[in-house]
Amino acid sequence: MSQELNLLMRQFTLFYSGIGILATFITILISVSYWKTIKDAKEQIDSLVKKAVAEEISNRVNQRIEDVEKIIQKEAIVSQTVAKYCLPMLNPDVQLLEEYQLLKNRGFQISPVENYERRASYAKCHVLIMDFVNANFPDDQEVVNILKEVANNIPDKSTIVIYIKRRVAELDSIFSNQDVYYTPANNILTLMGRVIDAAQIANTTK
C-alpha cells in the first residue's frame, strides 16, 4: 500500500512538473509571439512614416521645381519681349526717365518710339508703353487724339500699357474696333507689373 502511494505521488509530481514545463513553454511562445508582433508593428509603422515623409519631401521638391520653372519661363518671356516706350513730346529724352531705366534693367528689349505717327515706329513691337505721366497732358482730348493716331498705326494684336494718372472717359472706345489689348497704369509700380503682364499676353498672341 505504501509503495502504491509513493508511486502515485511520483506520478502526480511528474504530471504537475510536465504541466509546469508545458505552461512555461506556452508562456515563452506567447511572449515571443507578442514581442515579434510588436516588432513587426513597429517596423511597419516606421516604414509607413518613412514613406509618408519621402512622399511629402518629393511633393515639396516637385512644387519648388515647378515654381522655379515658372520663374525661369517668366524671365525668358521678359528677356524676349521687344518693348517700345513712347513719350509723345517733341525731342523727348526718354532714356533718362526712371521708368524707362527700370524696364530696361528688368530685362526688356526696350527702345524709344521716335515718332508715334509713323507705322514703322512699331515694327516688331510686342508691348507699347504710352507715357502720359511724364508728358503731362492736362487735356483729355489731347490724350485721346494721340491714342487714336497710335491706333491707326499699330499692328493688330498689339499690347499697349497706357501710363496715365487719371481716368480718361473715351479710353475704352478708342480701341473698340481693333484687335488690340490695352491696360492702364497710374503709378510706377503698377506700370512695372502691367508691362510684365502685357508681355505674357503678347507671348501667347504673337
Side-chain angles (χ1 to χ4, degrees):
M1 183 71 177
S2 177
Q3 291 179 354
E4 292 177 355
L5 182 61
N6 289 334
L7 179 62
L8 182 62
M9 289 295 295
R10 285 198 297 272
Q11 288 176 345
F12 272 114
T13 301
L14 290 172
F15 175 76
Y16 281 113
S17 297
I19 292 294
I21 293 169
L22 180 61
T24 302
F25 180 72
I26 291 172
T27 302
I28 292 171
L29 283 178
I30 292 173
S31 298
V32 169
S33 299
Y34 174 78
W35 288 111
K36 187 174 185 300
T37 302
I38 293 294
K39 182 180 179 183
D40 289 344
K42 183 176 182 300
E43 289 177 353
Q44 188 174 4
I45 291 170
D46 288 344
S47 177
L48 291 173
V49 169
K50 288 177 181 178
K51 183 179 179 182
V53 170
E55 288 179 355
E56 180 65 20
I57 292 173
S58 177
N59 291 336
R60 292 194 179 190
V61 169
N62 288 335
Q63 184 61 52
R64 291 293 178 88
I65 291 173
E66 289 179 8
D67 293 342
V68 170
E69 286 177 345
K70 288 178 181 178
I71 292 171
I72 292 173
Q73 184 180 19
K74 191 173 184 179
E75 291 303 312
I77 290 172
V78 168
S79 64
Q80 295 167 7
T81 298
V82 177
K84 298 282 188 176
Y85 198 104
C86 181
L87 185 64
M89 297 172 61
L90 292 175
N91 302 318
D93 203 350
V94 175
Q95 298 187 50
L96 295 179
L97 295 175
E98 180 183 6
E99 292 87 346
Y100 184 94
Q101 288 298 320
L102 286 172
L103 290 168
K104 183 178 180 180
N105 292 336
R106 186 63 181 76
F108 288 99
Q109 300 179 38
I110 191 167
S111 60
V113 173
E114 295 180 0
N115 187 343
Y116 68 86
E117 296 177 332
R118 293 179 57 194
R119 185 178 296 270
S121 298
Y122 309 106
K124 299 180 180 180
C125 175
H126 300 142
V127 177
L128 172 64
I129 301 100
M130 295 297 303
D131 185 350
F132 294 103
V133 172
N134 292 295
N136 192 22
F137 287 96
D139 185 5
D140 283 1
Q141 192 56 50
E142 287 183 284
V143 173
V144 170
N145 291 339
I146 290 171
L147 288 174
K148 284 182 176 179
E149 188 67 39
V150 171
N152 290 331
N153 290 295
I154 58 174
D156 287 339
K157 298 189 181 299
S158 294
T159 308
I160 306 172
V161 179
I162 302 171
Y163 186 35
I164 189 166
K165 288 187 178 295
R166 63 185 186 275
R167 169 72 178 168
V168 177
E170 294 184 52
L171 196 60
D172 294 334
S173 63
I174 296 172
F175 304 104
S176 60
N177 296 322
Q178 288 182 274
D179 190 8
V180 171
Y181 305 92
Y182 74 92
T183 181
N186 59 9
N187 60 63
I188 195 166
L189 292 177
T190 307
L191 175 67
M192 296 295 295
R194 295 293 168 81
V195 174
I196 292 172
D197 292 341
Q200 299 278 351
I201 295 172
N203 182 68
T204 60
T205 58
K206 65 183 180 180

